[in-house]
Amino acid sequence: MPKIFTIGFSGKSPDVFIDVLDAVRVRTVWDIRQWRTSTYVPFYSGDSLAAVLGKRYEYHPEFAPTTEILSGYKDGRITWPEYERMYRELLATRHPTTGRSADSLDRICLLCTEKSAVQCHRRLAAEYIAEQFTDTEIVHL
């Protein structure tokens, strides 16, 4: 049974972030952000994470929301329920798990900015993966 994790880095120091990943034995961090930059905490920019995590870091834009969906939610043009619907439809169109096995997904950690997974696309991405691979356990860190 695959176990996948999600984590938001907001409010986490780099040391705490790494400690959390190591404590649960994350195999690979999948950065699923639209933009892989962090203005306020440069450690969380994609290039920095790649340097620190090495082979444990991968960028997966196939799970990133479109600019239209993300900016629409951020500026209030679409509600969270609309965001959820649009993002789920996007994943259904992209088929981002095609060609993947359950074993290849075991102990990945979906990375985004938001502190909580409740209103973050990483939760929706994890749920999408769990729908494709039955018996997948999701753990939000």
Side-chain angles (χ1 to χ4, degrees), residues 3-120:
K3 179 185 264 190
I4 61 174
F5 302 93
T6 79
I7 192 167
F9 62 77
S10 182
K12 289 180 181 66
S13 72
D15 289 339
V16 168
F17 176 77
I18 297 296
D19 288 348
V20 168
L21 296 178
D22 290 344
V24 296
R25 298 182 341 264
V26 165
R27 182 177 47 82
T28 308
V29 173
W30 283 18
D31 189 339
I32 62 170
R33 296 175 288 172
Q34 174 70 22
W35 299 286
R36 301 179 320 136
T37 58
S38 178
T39 305
Y40 301 109
V41 189
F43 174 83
Y44 293 111
S45 292
D47 291 342
S48 295
L49 286 171
V52 170
L53 296 171
K55 292 192 291 187
R56 290 177 66 193
Y57 174 85
E58 296 178 6
Y59 180 47
H60 285 272
E62 67 272 22
F63 284 98
T66 63
T67 302
E68 175 189 31
I69 295 171
L70 186 58
S71 64
Y73 175 66
K74 296 265 186 205
D75 68 18
R77 286 181 288 120
I78 64 173
T79 65
W80 179 253
E82 291 170 320
Y83 180 100
E84 283 187 336
R85 179 186 51 76
M86 293 169 75
Y87 182 73
R88 290 177 196 276
E89 289 172 357
L90 177 67
L91 292 180
T93 302
R94 286 182 178 169
H95 306 286
T97 57
T98 299
R100 298 190 188 281
S101 68
D103 288 342
S104 73
L105 299 169
D106 190 37
R107 306 204 83 74
I108 64 167
C109 184
L110 306 178
L111 168 76
C112 195
T113 307
E114 300 296 326
K115 185 177 259 184
S116 169
V118 174
Q119 286 189 321
C120 181

